[in-house]
mmCIF file of all heavy atoms in Angstrom:
data_model
loop_
_atom_site.group_PDB
_atom_site.id
_atom_site.type_symbol
_atom_site.label_atom_id
_atom_site.label_comp_id
_atom_site.label_asym_id
_atom_site.label_seq_id
_atom_site.Cartn_x
_atom_site.Cartn_y
_atom_site.Cartn_z
ATOM 1 N N ASN A 649 -88.498 37.062 -81.515
ATOM 2 C CA ASN A 649 -88.638 38.468 -81.931
ATOM 3 C C ASN A 649 -88.104 39.450 -80.899
ATOM 4 O O ASN A 649 -88.568 40.574 -80.806
ATOM 5 C CB ASN A 649 -90.111 38.797 -82.192
ATOM 6 C CG ASN A 649 -90.684 37.997 -83.348
ATOM 7 O OD1 ASN A 649 -89.936 37.517 -84.197
ATOM 8 N ND2 ASN A 649 -91.975 37.848 -83.368
ATOM 9 N N THR A 650 -87.145 39.032 -80.094
ATOM 10 C CA THR A 650 -86.689 39.920 -79.021
ATOM 11 C C THR A 650 -85.709 40.992 -79.510
ATOM 12 O O THR A 650 -85.642 42.062 -78.933
ATOM 13 C CB THR A 650 -86.028 39.124 -77.883
ATOM 14 O OG1 THR A 650 -85.004 38.325 -78.445
ATOM 15 C CG2 THR A 650 -87.039 38.242 -77.178
ATOM 16 N N ARG A 651 -84.967 40.707 -80.558
ATOM 17 C CA ARG A 651 -83.945 41.654 -80.994
ATOM 18 C C ARG A 651 -84.546 42.931 -81.580
ATOM 19 O O ARG A 651 -84.116 44.041 -81.256
ATOM 20 C CB ARG A 651 -83.026 40.987 -82.026
ATOM 21 C CG ARG A 651 -81.982 41.956 -82.563
ATOM 22 C CD ARG A 651 -80.974 41.259 -83.464
ATOM 23 N NE ARG A 651 -80.101 42.225 -84.108
ATOM 24 C CZ ARG A 651 -79.275 41.938 -85.099
ATOM 25 N NH1 ARG A 651 -79.188 40.691 -85.552
ATOM 26 N NH2 ARG A 651 -78.519 42.878 -85.626
ATOM 27 N N TYR A 652 -85.522 42.774 -82.456
ATOM 28 C CA TYR A 652 -86.096 43.954 -83.124
ATOM 29 C C TYR A 652 -87.377 44.438 -82.462
ATOM 30 O O TYR A 652 -87.879 45.500 -82.797
ATOM 31 C CB TYR A 652 -86.326 43.658 -84.608
ATOM 32 C CG TYR A 652 -85.032 43.408 -85.350
ATOM 33 C CD1 TYR A 652 -84.632 42.122 -85.687
ATOM 34 C CD2 TYR A 652 -84.193 44.479 -85.673
ATOM 35 C CE1 TYR A 652 -83.427 41.899 -86.348
ATOM 36 C CE2 TYR A 652 -82.992 44.263 -86.329
ATOM 37 C CZ TYR A 652 -82.612 42.969 -86.667
ATOM 38 O OH TYR A 652 -81.422 42.757 -87.312
ATOM 39 N N GLY A 653 -87.886 43.637 -81.524
ATOM 40 C CA GLY A 653 -89.041 44.072 -80.756
ATOM 41 C C GLY A 653 -90.351 43.583 -81.340
ATOM 42 O O GLY A 653 -90.430 43.179 -82.497
ATOM 43 N N SER A 654 -91.389 43.616 -80.496
ATOM 44 C CA SER A 654 -92.676 43.039 -80.880
ATOM 45 C C SER A 654 -93.797 44.065 -80.922
ATOM 46 O O SER A 654 -94.917 43.737 -81.295
ATOM 47 C CB SER A 654 -93.046 41.938 -79.888
ATOM 48 O OG SER A 654 -93.043 42.450 -78.564
ATOM 49 N N ASP A 655 -93.520 45.322 -80.550
ATOM 50 C CA ASP A 655 -94.594 46.311 -80.446
ATOM 51 C C ASP A 655 -94.947 46.947 -81.785
ATOM 52 O O ASP A 655 -94.108 47.059 -82.680
ATOM 53 C CB ASP A 655 -94.195 47.416 -79.460
ATOM 54 C CG ASP A 655 -94.330 46.948 -78.017
ATOM 55 O OD1 ASP A 655 -95.410 46.397 -77.683
ATOM 56 O OD2 ASP A 655 -93.376 47.101 -77.248
ATOM 57 N N THR A 656 -96.206 47.391 -81.859
ATOM 58 C CA THR A 656 -96.650 48.046 -83.098
ATOM 59 C C THR A 656 -96.351 49.549 -83.057
ATOM 60 O O THR A 656 -95.973 50.113 -82.040
ATOM 61 C CB THR A 656 -98.145 47.809 -83.379
ATOM 62 O OG1 THR A 656 -98.944 48.428 -82.368
ATOM 63 C CG2 THR A 656 -98.455 46.321 -83.453
ATOM 64 N N SER A 657 -96.590 50.170 -84.202
ATOM 65 C CA SER A 657 -96.102 51.500 -84.574
ATOM 66 C C SER A 657 -96.125 52.583 -83.502
ATOM 67 O O SER A 657 -97.188 52.956 -82.997
ATOM 68 C CB SER A 657 -96.932 52.004 -85.760
ATOM 69 O OG SER A 657 -96.844 51.089 -86.829
ATOM 70 N N CYS A 658 -94.952 53.093 -83.212
ATOM 71 C CA CYS A 658 -94.810 54.294 -82.393
ATOM 72 C C CYS A 658 -93.381 54.816 -82.541
ATOM 73 O O CYS A 658 -92.428 54.056 -82.379
ATOM 74 C CB CYS A 658 -95.108 54.016 -80.920
ATOM 75 S SG CYS A 658 -94.934 55.494 -79.890
ATOM 76 N N VAL A 659 -93.267 56.097 -82.882
ATOM 77 C CA VAL A 659 -91.954 56.739 -83.028
ATOM 78 C C VAL A 659 -91.984 58.071 -82.285
ATOM 79 O O VAL A 659 -92.874 58.898 -82.520
ATOM 80 C CB VAL A 659 -91.610 56.976 -84.516
ATOM 81 C CG1 VAL A 659 -90.312 57.763 -84.651
ATOM 82 C CG2 VAL A 659 -91.494 55.641 -85.257
ATOM 83 N N GLU A 660 -91.050 58.248 -81.381
ATOM 84 C CA GLU A 660 -90.920 59.516 -80.640
ATOM 85 C C GLU A 660 -89.907 60.402 -81.363
ATOM 86 O O GLU A 660 -88.841 59.935 -81.759
ATOM 87 C CB GLU A 660 -90.413 59.199 -79.229
ATOM 88 C CG GLU A 660 -90.083 60.401 -78.378
ATOM 89 C CD GLU A 660 -89.338 60.026 -77.093
ATOM 90 O OE1 GLU A 660 -89.147 58.812 -76.845
ATOM 91 O OE2 GLU A 660 -88.945 60.946 -76.367
ATOM 92 N N VAL A 661 -90.252 61.667 -81.524
ATOM 93 C CA VAL A 661 -89.309 62.628 -82.110
ATOM 94 C C VAL A 661 -89.095 63.761 -81.118
ATOM 95 O O VAL A 661 -90.066 64.334 -80.609
ATOM 96 C CB VAL A 661 -89.834 63.173 -83.460
ATOM 97 C CG1 VAL A 661 -88.927 64.294 -83.980
ATOM 98 C CG2 VAL A 661 -89.907 62.052 -84.496
ATOM 99 N N ARG A 662 -87.846 64.054 -80.816
ATOM 100 C CA ARG A 662 -87.496 65.164 -79.931
ATOM 101 C C ARG A 662 -86.974 66.326 -80.762
ATOM 102 O O ARG A 662 -86.019 66.168 -81.539
ATOM 103 C CB ARG A 662 -86.395 64.730 -78.952
ATOM 104 C CG ARG A 662 -86.835 63.641 -77.993
ATOM 105 C CD ARG A 662 -87.446 64.258 -76.754
ATOM 106 N NE ARG A 662 -87.919 63.219 -75.856
ATOM 107 C CZ ARG A 662 -87.950 63.338 -74.532
ATOM 108 N NH1 ARG A 662 -87.509 64.421 -73.942
ATOM 109 N NH2 ARG A 662 -88.436 62.359 -73.790
ATOM 110 N N CYS A 663 -87.582 67.473 -80.592
ATOM 111 C CA CYS A 663 -87.134 68.704 -81.245
ATOM 112 C C CYS A 663 -86.781 69.665 -80.116
ATOM 113 O O CYS A 663 -87.681 70.294 -79.545
ATOM 114 C CB CYS A 663 -88.239 69.308 -82.094
ATOM 115 S SG CYS A 663 -88.965 68.212 -83.316
ATOM 116 N N GLY A 664 -85.514 69.741 -79.765
ATOM 117 C CA GLY A 664 -85.164 70.505 -78.576
ATOM 118 C C GLY A 664 -85.861 69.880 -77.375
ATOM 119 O O GLY A 664 -85.770 68.670 -77.159
ATOM 120 N N ASP A 665 -86.623 70.702 -76.626
ATOM 121 C CA ASP A 665 -87.342 70.195 -75.447
ATOM 122 C C ASP A 665 -88.716 69.631 -75.790
ATOM 123 O O ASP A 665 -89.387 69.087 -74.927
ATOM 124 C CB ASP A 665 -87.558 71.334 -74.434
ATOM 125 C CG ASP A 665 -86.238 71.845 -73.885
ATOM 126 O OD1 ASP A 665 -85.277 71.056 -73.858
ATOM 127 O OD2 ASP A 665 -86.188 73.040 -73.503
ATOM 128 N N ARG A 666 -89.122 69.798 -77.028
ATOM 129 C CA ARG A 666 -90.485 69.381 -77.391
ATOM 130 C C ARG A 666 -90.515 67.901 -77.781
ATOM 131 O O ARG A 666 -89.553 67.377 -78.329
ATOM 132 C CB ARG A 666 -90.991 70.247 -78.548
ATOM 133 C CG ARG A 666 -91.156 71.730 -78.180
ATOM 134 C CD ARG A 666 -92.442 71.980 -77.407
ATOM 135 N NE ARG A 666 -93.597 71.581 -78.176
ATOM 136 C CZ ARG A 666 -94.211 72.358 -79.078
ATOM 137 N NH1 ARG A 666 -93.787 73.573 -79.294
ATOM 138 N NH2 ARG A 666 -95.271 71.907 -79.751
ATOM 139 N N VAL A 667 -91.684 67.287 -77.501
ATOM 140 C CA VAL A 667 -91.849 65.857 -77.769
ATOM 141 C C VAL A 667 -93.020 65.633 -78.717
ATOM 142 O O VAL A 667 -94.147 66.055 -78.426
ATOM 143 C CB VAL A 667 -92.112 65.083 -76.457
ATOM 144 C CG1 VAL A 667 -92.328 63.601 -76.751
ATOM 145 C CG2 VAL A 667 -90.973 65.272 -75.480
ATOM 146 N N LEU A 668 -92.736 64.990 -79.839
ATOM 147 C CA LEU A 668 -93.777 64.579 -80.786
ATOM 148 C C LEU A 668 -93.795 63.061 -80.790
ATOM 149 O O LEU A 668 -92.729 62.424 -80.791
ATOM 150 C CB LEU A 668 -93.438 65.077 -82.197
ATOM 151 C CG LEU A 668 -93.705 66.553 -82.565
ATOM 152 C CD1 LEU A 668 -93.051 67.528 -81.617
ATOM 153 C CD2 LEU A 668 -93.244 66.822 -83.984
ATOM 154 N N VAL A 669 -94.974 62.476 -80.778
ATOM 155 C CA VAL A 669 -95.084 61.018 -80.815
ATOM 156 C C VAL A 669 -95.951 60.648 -82.005
ATOM 157 O O VAL A 669 -97.115 61.081 -82.094
ATOM 158 C CB VAL A 669 -95.695 60.468 -79.512
ATOM 159 C CG1 VAL A 669 -95.782 58.947 -79.579
ATOM 160 C CG2 VAL A 669 -94.879 60.906 -78.298
ATOM 161 N N PHE A 670 -95.381 59.884 -82.910
ATOM 162 C CA PHE A 670 -96.100 59.476 -84.104
ATOM 163 C C PHE A 670 -96.686 58.086 -83.894
ATOM 164 O O PHE A 670 -95.969 57.121 -83.662
ATOM 165 C CB PHE A 670 -95.173 59.502 -85.321
ATOM 166 C CG PHE A 670 -94.811 60.909 -85.698
ATOM 167 C CD1 PHE A 670 -93.700 61.521 -85.145
ATOM 168 C CD2 PHE A 670 -95.633 61.646 -86.537
ATOM 169 C CE1 PHE A 670 -93.390 62.837 -85.461
ATOM 170 C CE2 PHE A 670 -95.336 62.964 -86.855
ATOM 171 C CZ PHE A 670 -94.211 63.565 -86.308
#
Side-chain angles (χ1 to χ4, degrees):
N649 296 338
T650 54
R651 177 173 172 191
Y652 295 103
S654 56
D655 283 311
T656 65
S657 303
C658 180
V659 174
E660 174 191 356
V661 173
R662 295 271 178 149
C663 306
D665 295 333
R666 295 281 301 275
V667 178
L668 281 54
V669 181
F670 290 90

